[in-house]
Amino acid sequence: MKKLIIIFSAISLLVFIRPVLGLSANIATTDSSTSTVQVDAAEEDSIIDKALDGIKTFYSYTGFANSSSGNVIMIIIGIVFIYLGIKYDYEPLLLIPIGTGVILGNIPFVAGNQTGIYETGSVLNYLYFGVVKGVYPPLIFLGIGAMTDFSSLIANPKLMLLGGAAQIGVFATFLGALYLGFNLPEAGAIGIIGGADGPTAIFLSSKLANGINILEDGTTVKNLIGPIAIAAYSYMALVPVIQPPLMRLLISKKDRKIKMKPPRAVTQKEKMIFPVVALILTLFISPSALPLLGMLFFGNLLKESGRTERLADTARTKLIDIVTILLGVTVGASTQADIFITKDSMLIFGLGAISFVIATCGGLLFAKFMNLFLKGDNKINPLIGAAGVSAVPDSARVVHHEGLKSDPSNFLLMHAMAPNVSGVIGSAIAAGIILSFLG
């Protein structure tokens, strides 16, 4: 009985709310019951049709209706980035935001609703402004400067040569890009991947390969910011995978056991003078690198001056964390499948891998070359040449771990930091030189 009452109440409720919902038929007095049934049936058919049309319209706005195989591939890549960052601790501060951005950028959407990163007026497009205009990289460099100790470089300035030697990867990649058919500005932007410096790669590509600049022959350069940035950060994250085999291949076990004498103690006065002198010297050599090197040494001066600890702390913690989040997510989101999955992107990734190998080998071999002119305890362990790429501080850590494998008492971290930080400076100078010629 209770069930019957519930069913009857539900039917009655439906009867009463039908007029409110506009679903009832126009009630007219008629003598024909058949006519009433036909009208009700026609209206019910109309309601069903409208409901189906509504469902179809809803489906047309979903990602399922607008997805492509390219979107699926890029979403899988984003998941892989997140997995590598979490499972293997490969640059999680970079790969997790970038991986999430890749997923965000490849959720299919209906064009015109100000959703995508390339749609003017969308939130992602506003955030992407910092990438396109090169705003984020100098802020990253400010934070790097505020957290970097240049003592090892000041104590042993000759190790700066290793950072310069590793930049051979930049110019080798530049020539390779020209050979593959990229024009001069595009090749210059691609070449900087060899420095293994994500912010520098973004900065230079935003100036040279932004899809806006027009060449003398009327050709518009391609927008390669996304592929270049993803390639640079990917190879930075894969330093622990790529570099160790090259170290073991090029450096004998005997040389890997070389112990370097402890670096001399550096005074606080030297630490304060260094960023000012380095700022002037490097920018006179490469004025176009001012946004990067200027902020790098400014951040270091904040750290070493002893008077601006609050500013230095903000730069190396809160500020760099915020900018890293925005940079990672927007760079990842710029990899929309229809723009990212191209022949050019595949070529850039291939060139990036080759350039990173060349840069690492350049640093290792130049370290061996330097030892030809050094004697006794002045000799350097050639492993530290691999730290000449500017993947700070991961490449220095990799060098340290490889040294420990050969000799558990051989600590190379402080020595490796010298070419590592000089690699940051070297890649920024190389970017400035390229920009001067091709900008």
Side-chain angles (χ1 to χ4, degrees):
M1 184 68 181
K2 185 176 181 180
K3 291 182 180 179
L4 290 175
I5 293 173
I6 293 174
I7 294 172
F8 178 80
S9 299
I11 295 173
S12 300
L13 181 62
L14 288 174
V15 171
F16 284 115
I17 67 172
R18 277 176 64 87
V20 177
L21 298 177
L23 300 179
S24 59
N26 292 328
I27 301 176
T29 304
T30 175
D31 295 333
S32 176
S33 60
T34 303
S35 176
T36 302
V37 172
Q38 289 176 344
V39 170
D40 288 344
E43 288 189 357
E44 287 178 2
D45 289 341
S46 176
I47 292 169
I48 294 174
D49 290 339
K50 289 179 180 178
L52 291 175
D53 288 341
I55 293 172
K56 290 177 181 178
T57 302
F58 167 75
Y59 179 75
S60 69
Y61 284 102
T62 65
F64 299 105
N66 297 284
S67 64
S68 66
S69 57
N71 294 132
V72 175
I73 291 172
M74 291 308 303
I75 289 174
I76 292 173
I77 291 174
I79 293 172
V80 170
F81 275 26
I82 295 172
Y83 176 78
L84 292 174
I86 296 174
K87 177 69 174 179
Y88 297 103
D89 198 28
Y90 288 168
E91 290 286 356
L93 298 182
L94 293 174
L95 288 193
I96 292 176
I98 290 176
T100 305
V102 171
I103 295 174
L104 290 176
N106 284 279
I107 298 297
F109 60 89
V110 177
N113 289 337
Q114 295 184 339
T115 303
I117 194 168
Y118 295 109
E119 290 190 304
T120 302
S122 71
V123 174
L124 284 175
N125 184 258
Y126 282 120
L127 297 178
Y128 192 52
F129 179 87
V131 174
V132 174
K133 297 300 181 181
V135 176
Y136 295 147
L139 296 178
I140 294 286
F141 265 65
L142 174 65
I144 293 173
M147 67 174 65
T148 301
D149 186 353
F150 286 99
S151 297
S152 56
L153 182 60
I154 299 171
N156 199 351
K158 66 176 177 287
L159 297 182
M160 184 180 293
L161 297 174
L162 297 176
Q167 304 312 312
I168 187 175
V170 173
F171 298 100
T173 309
F174 171 68
L175 295 175
L178 287 177
Y179 177 77
L180 292 177
F182 291 96
N183 59 46
L184 280 171
E186 294 165 355
I190 294 169
I192 207 64
I193 298 174
D197 191 330
T200 303
I202 292 173
F203 176 78
L204 191 60
S205 58
S206 71
K207 303 298 182 184
L208 297 180
N210 51 20
I212 298 174
N213 296 338
I214 300 176
L215 304 179
E216 293 180 357
D217 62 359
T219 304
T220 302
V221 298
K222 300 171 184 174
N223 184 354
L224 302 178
I225 298 175
I228 289 173
I230 295 295
Y233 278 119
S234 297
Y235 295 121
M236 283 176 64
L238 293 175
V239 163
V241 177
I242 298 174
Q243 287 197 324
L246 297 174
M247 295 177 186
R248 294 189 287 268
L249 175 66
L250 297 177
I251 308 300
S252 67
K253 192 169 184 179
K254 178 183 177 182
D255 285 344
R256 295 202 296 270
K257 291 183 177 181
I258 293 177
K259 288 187 177 181
M260 300 174 63
K261 65 180 181 181
R264 69 174 179 84
V266 177
T267 66
Q268 187 61 34
K269 187 176 182 179
E270 288 178 294
K271 292 181 181 181
M272 287 189 290
I273 293 174
F274 175 79
V276 178
V277 174
L279 172 67
I280 295 171
L281 288 178
T282 56
L283 290 182
F284 266 84
I285 294 171
S286 180
S288 295
L290 188 148
L292 298 177
L293 293 177
M295 297 300 275
L296 176 71
F297 292 122
F298 171 53
N300 189 246
L301 183 60
L302 293 177
K303 173 181 180 291
E304 304 295 356
S305 67
R307 302 293 184 181
T308 53
E309 184 57 31
R310 284 175 53 193
L311 300 181
D313 184 62
T314 298
R316 64 173 167 256
T317 54
K318 302 176 183 66
L319 179 62
I320 197 171
D321 289 343
I322 292 170
V323 177
T324 298
I325 291 171
L326 296 178
L327 181 67
V329 171
T330 52
V331 164
S334 69
T335 62
Q336 283 185 196
D338 56 339
I339 294 174
F340 188 81
I341 301 181
T342 63
K343 176 184 175 182
D344 289 339
S345 297
M346 300 305 105
L347 291 176
I348 288 170
F349 268 82
L351 286 169
I354 295 171
S355 70
F356 194 74
V357 170
I358 293 174
T360 301
C361 293
L364 292 170
L365 295 175
F366 193 79
K368 294 182 67 174
F369 176 74
M370 287 178 65
N371 272 345
L372 297 177
F373 305 94
L374 301 173
K375 297 180 180 180
D377 59 359
N378 286 322
K379 284 186 176 292
I380 63 176
N381 189 312
L383 288 176
I384 68 172
V389 298
S390 59
V392 179
D394 277 0
S395 56
R397 290 174 183 162
V398 170
V399 168
H400 178 67
H401 290 314
E402 283 300 308
L404 291 177
K405 287 179 182 178
S406 301
D407 182 351
S409 64
N410 196 6
F411 299 98
L412 296 174
L413 183 60
M414 284 304 297
H415 300 289
M417 282 303 297
N420 208 184
V421 296
S422 69
V424 176
I425 299 170
S427 65
I429 291 175
I433 292 172
I434 292 172
L435 185 59
S436 297
F437 280 92
L438 305 179

